[in-house]
C-alpha cells in the first residue's frame, strides 16, 4: 500500500510511488481551508483561477521537500531517524545557532497558521452543519468557540497517541482525496450537475478507496487512492 513503503521508496512499485505523490499533492491542495477559500470566491472565474494557481504552486513546494529528503538520505541525517523528525535533524545539523532559531520560528509560524485554519474550518463545520446555524448570533458564536476548544484538545491528544504522523497523514489523504476531489472539480468547472451526483461520488469514492486499500490489499498493485478517485469520477459521469 501507499503507507507500507514510506521508509524505503526503492521498495515501492511505480504505481505505489504514483499513489504516494498523488496522496501528498492532492491531499494538501484539498485541505478544508483551501476548499473554503475556493468556494467563497467572488465569482466562479476567480475560484477557478485561484484553484489553478494553487495547483501550480504545490509541485514546487513538494519538490523542495523532496530535495531536502534526498539531502538527508545522503548521510546528513543519521540512519533510522523517524520520518517526522528528519527536517528538524537536518536543520540542526546544517544551520548555525542564529539561522536555526530563525528556522524554528518560521516552522512554528507555519504550524500555527495551518492549525488555526484547520480549527476555524472545523468550528464552522460543527456550527453550520451539525447544529444548523445559518446566521451569526451570540449562540452560534459561543458554539463555535466551544467547538474550537474541543477540536484543539482532541488534536493535541491524537498527536500524542499517534506514533507515525506521516503514515497517518497518508491514510487520511487516501480516504479524503477520492471523496472530495472529483465532486469539487465538477462543482467548480461544470455548468450543471445532477444534485445526486456529488453525494454518490463522495460515498462510493471513499468506500471503494477504503475497501481496495485495506480490505483487498491493493489488487494489481494499484493504490486505493487512485482506484477510489477513478470510481468517484465514473460515478459523476454516470449520474451527472
Amino acid at each position: 500500500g501507499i503507507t507500507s513503503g514510506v521508509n524505503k521508496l526503492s521498495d515501492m512499485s511505480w504505481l505505489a510511488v504514483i499513489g504516494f505523490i498523488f496522496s501528498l499533492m492532492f491531499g494538501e491542495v484539498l485541505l478544508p481551508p483551501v476548499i473554503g477559500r475556493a468556494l467563497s470566491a467572488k465569482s466562479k472565474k476567480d475560484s477557478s483561477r485561484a484553484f489553478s494557481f494553487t495547483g501550480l504552486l504545490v509541485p514546487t513546494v513538494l519538490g523542495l521537500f523532496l530535495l531536502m529528503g534526498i539531502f538527508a538520505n545522503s548521510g546528513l541525517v543519521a540512519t533510522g531517524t523517524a520520518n517526522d523528525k528528519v527536517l528538524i535533524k537536518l536543520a540542526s545539523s546544517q544551520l548555525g545557532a542564529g539561522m536555526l532559531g530563525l528556522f524554528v520560528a518560521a516552522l512554528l509560524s507555519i504550524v500555527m497558521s495551518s492549525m488555526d485554519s484547520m480549527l476555524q474550518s472545523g468550528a464552522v463545520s460543527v456550527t453550520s452543519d451539525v447544529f444548523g446555524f445559518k446566521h451569526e448570533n451570540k449562540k452560534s458564536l459561543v458554539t463555535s468557540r466551544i467547538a474550537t476548544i474541543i477540536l484543539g484538545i482532541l488534536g493535541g491528544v491524537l498527536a500524542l497517541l499517534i506514533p507515525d504522523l506521516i503514515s497517518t497523514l497518508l491514510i487520511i489523504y487516501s480516504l479524503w482525496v477520492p471523496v472530495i476531489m472529483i465532486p469539487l472539480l465538477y462543482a467548480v468547472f461544470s455548468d450543471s450537475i445532477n444534485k445526486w451526483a456529488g453525494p454518490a461520488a463522495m460515498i462510493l469514492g471513499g468506500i471503494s478507496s477504503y475497501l481496495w486499500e485495506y480490505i483487498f490489499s491493493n489488487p494489481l498493485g494499484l493504490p486505493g487512492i487512485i482506484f477510489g478517485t477513478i470510481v468517484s469520477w465514473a460515478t459523476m459521469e454516470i449520474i451527472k
Side-chain angles (χ1 to χ4, degrees):
I2 295 174
T3 61
S4 62
V6 172
N7 292 319
K8 293 184 178 180
L9 194 63
S10 60
D11 294 339
M12 301 167 66
S13 67
W14 66 272
L15 279 174
V17 172
I18 292 175
F20 181 75
I21 296 173
F22 194 80
S23 296
L24 289 176
M25 181 177 296
F26 290 102
E28 289 294 324
V29 171
L30 298 174
L31 288 173
V34 178
I35 296 174
R37 295 185 184 104
L39 297 180
S40 62
K42 184 177 180 181
S43 65
K44 181 178 178 180
K45 183 178 180 181
D46 289 338
S47 179
S48 300
R49 186 181 303 165
F51 211 72
S52 298
F53 284 141
T54 300
L56 293 175
L57 289 173
V58 169
T60 302
V61 175
L62 294 180
L64 291 174
F65 278 101
L66 177 62
L67 285 175
M68 286 189 284
I70 293 174
F71 291 144
N73 195 50
S74 66
L76 296 179
V77 175
T79 303
T81 302
N83 294 323
D84 50 2
K85 292 183 174 62
V86 168
L87 183 59
I88 296 296
K89 293 292 185 181
L90 180 63
S92 62
S93 66
Q94 300 300 312
L95 299 177
M99 290 301 297
L100 181 59
L102 183 62
F103 170 82
V104 172
L107 190 61
L108 288 175
S109 67
I110 293 172
V111 173
M112 292 173 64
S113 173
S114 300
M115 284 304 301
D116 65 33
S117 297
M118 291 292 186
L119 290 174
Q120 182 186 37
S121 297
V124 169
S125 180
V126 170
T127 304
S128 302
D129 301 331
V130 177
F131 291 95
F133 291 107
K134 302 301 180 184
H135 304 285
E136 184 176 328
N137 51 50
K138 185 176 181 180
K139 193 172 182 179
S140 67
L141 183 60
V142 172
T143 302
S144 177
R145 289 174 175 173
I146 294 174
T148 301
I149 294 173
I150 293 175
L151 290 173
I153 293 173
L154 288 175
V157 171
L158 289 175
L160 294 174
L161 294 177
I162 296 173
D164 189 345
L165 294 179
I166 294 180
S167 294
T168 304
L169 191 64
L170 290 173
I171 292 173
I172 294 172
Y173 285 169
S174 70
L175 299 176
W176 172 248
V177 173
V179 168
I180 199 66
M181 184 175 76
I182 299 300
L184 178 62
L185 290 176
Y186 273 81
V188 172
F189 294 106
S190 297
D191 294 326
S192 60
I193 304 174
N194 187 302
K195 68 177 182 178
W196 298 109
M202 294 172 73
I203 293 171
L204 292 179
I207 291 176
S208 60
S209 177
Y210 176 82
L211 293 176
W212 191 267
E213 179 90 15
Y214 303 107
I215 303 300
F216 301 115
S217 300
N218 297 326
L220 307 177
L222 183 69
I225 187 173
I226 296 179
F227 180 76
T229 303
I230 293 173
V231 170
S232 179
W233 169 78
T235 303
M236 288 293 298
E237 283 295 312
I238 293 172
I239 301 179
K240 74 169 186 176

